Amino acid sequence: MSNIVIVGTQWGDEGKGKIVDLLAEFADIIIRFQGGNNAGHTLVVDGKQFISHLIPSGILQGKVCLIGNGLVVDPAVLIEEMDLLTDMGIKVGPDNLRISETANLIMPYHKQIDLAREEMKGDKKIGTTGRGIGPCYEDKVARMGIRFVELLDPDTFKEKVFAVMEEKNFYLEKFLSSAPIDPQSIIDIYSEYAKKLSPYISNVSVELDRAIKQEKHILFEGAQGTHLDIDHGTYPYVTSSNTVAGNASCGSGIGPGKLDKIIGIVKAYTTRVGSGPFTTELFDETGEKIQKKGAEFGATTGRKRRCGWLDMVMLKNSVRLNSLTSLVLTKLDVLSGLETIEICTAYECNGKIIKDFPADQKVLSSCTPVCETFSGWSREIDDIRTLEDLPENAKKYLKRIEELSGVPVGIVSVGPGREQTIIVNNPFFIDKNC
Ligand code: GDP
Ligand code: IMO
Ligand code: MG
């Protein structure tokens, strides 16, 4: 039995989707445990691309996919994604997709509040994806969220919508100068969603428990990245959920003792979409080269991703916060052709060397990176399938990441395709502590 958690170690878009799709072959169940359709996980199989926003990336491998209680789900997006997969010839039905009855529903007012607030903030905006994620999590914590279980009971659903709309419309109109929403229109639309989604609503926690007792392999798919975590990220420039591995337990309804291995996905450089400090950001030609070669555009919003060098202060933070047992290094191919490559090993701030990631955003904004420089390699590596065949300088770069992080690299990704992967150690087959 192996229950494996996949998390992003940076600011998201590390290539989690590709790795979940790859490892899903060896799993029985794949579960998403947090976030919503702010995520964009790209899978490339036989040259065809699919971007999943909500449905776990194991769907293309024909496995059972679960949406955990920790998610905020926009039912319209979920239905759209289900229809898209069906059109692609992928089977999606209640026998291979289930949604936790206690996952929260993203409502039209969440999206409207998210967008209106960002507009109001002007240049102080977070740069959210505008999908209503933050406002939906706020309501969950304020105990005024509406959950999937309520979709099964039209009277309770109606009652809850009417109760909440008074406050929402007041806030929309009076504070955000935005149009009010007619509660009945929400009820009409959501009752159609309820008809379609009711067969999928289930007690995911009980189901997982049963699977664990049957020694099934479970893959927990994280979204976003450790530095977008609501507690541990670059607050307030973060998302509104816990993205760290601890939430794999809470967001799916099983105890933490059931998690065997935690894999951190590390892009060979760093990217960020949206606002917030970024110590190793490159504003020069090299940054542009990486952005172009890595096709660094947001999978959800299409925004250009900011690019910079790999940051070990961040990666070490992720190792500690997630108890990482191994790393997957992605997009190493993107660095091919660069004369030199840098790794940031510490920050300098007001003449002091800092090795721990600072919580204060003002301090973080004033940090400059202290870097080690490596010679690059000229050969393209997207066709390489063994570690031994990598250019010597690529091997040195990888080795140094292992040394500095103290965590072994189990998989190296050298292209977007499922096959463009070097598997050093398959986490489903190696012993529990690796
Ligand atoms: P996620 O959100 O962590 O799943 O990552 P995204 O899908 O948003 O962004 C990663 C992008 O890089 C996607 O377009 C992937 O197809 C692509 N990708 C993943 N791994 C590799 C790799 O090793 N090399 C290259 N060149 N592209 C990759
Ligand atoms: P995946 O799973 C990269 C960023 C947004 C914004 C901040 C808050 O594909 O790695 P939100 O809409 O969540 O309130 O936005 O978080 N963000 C992501 N950045 N990848 C993601 O997901 C992200 N999900 C949210 O750009 O800066
Ligand atoms: Mg993404």
Side-chain angles (χ1 to χ4, degrees), residues 25 29 41 97 134 164 226 228 240 255 311 348 364 386 401 406 408:
E25 181 185 347
I29 294 177
H41 297 175
L97 176 69
V164 91
T226 299
L228 286 172
S240 297
D311 183 338
E348 189 179 336
L364 184 58
T386 67
I401 294 169

Side-chain angles (χ1 to χ4, degrees), residues 11-14 16 38-41 114 126-131 133-134 222-225 228 237-240 273-275 303:
W11 278 300
D13 304 326
E14 297 90 349
K16 299 175 291 295
N38 46 352
H41 297 175
D114 194 359
I126 306 286
T128 72
T129 57
R131 304 302 196 256
I133 307 295
Q224 290 82 52
L228 286 172
Y237 300 103
V238 291
T239 191
S240 297
V273 220
S275 323
R303 289 175 292 179

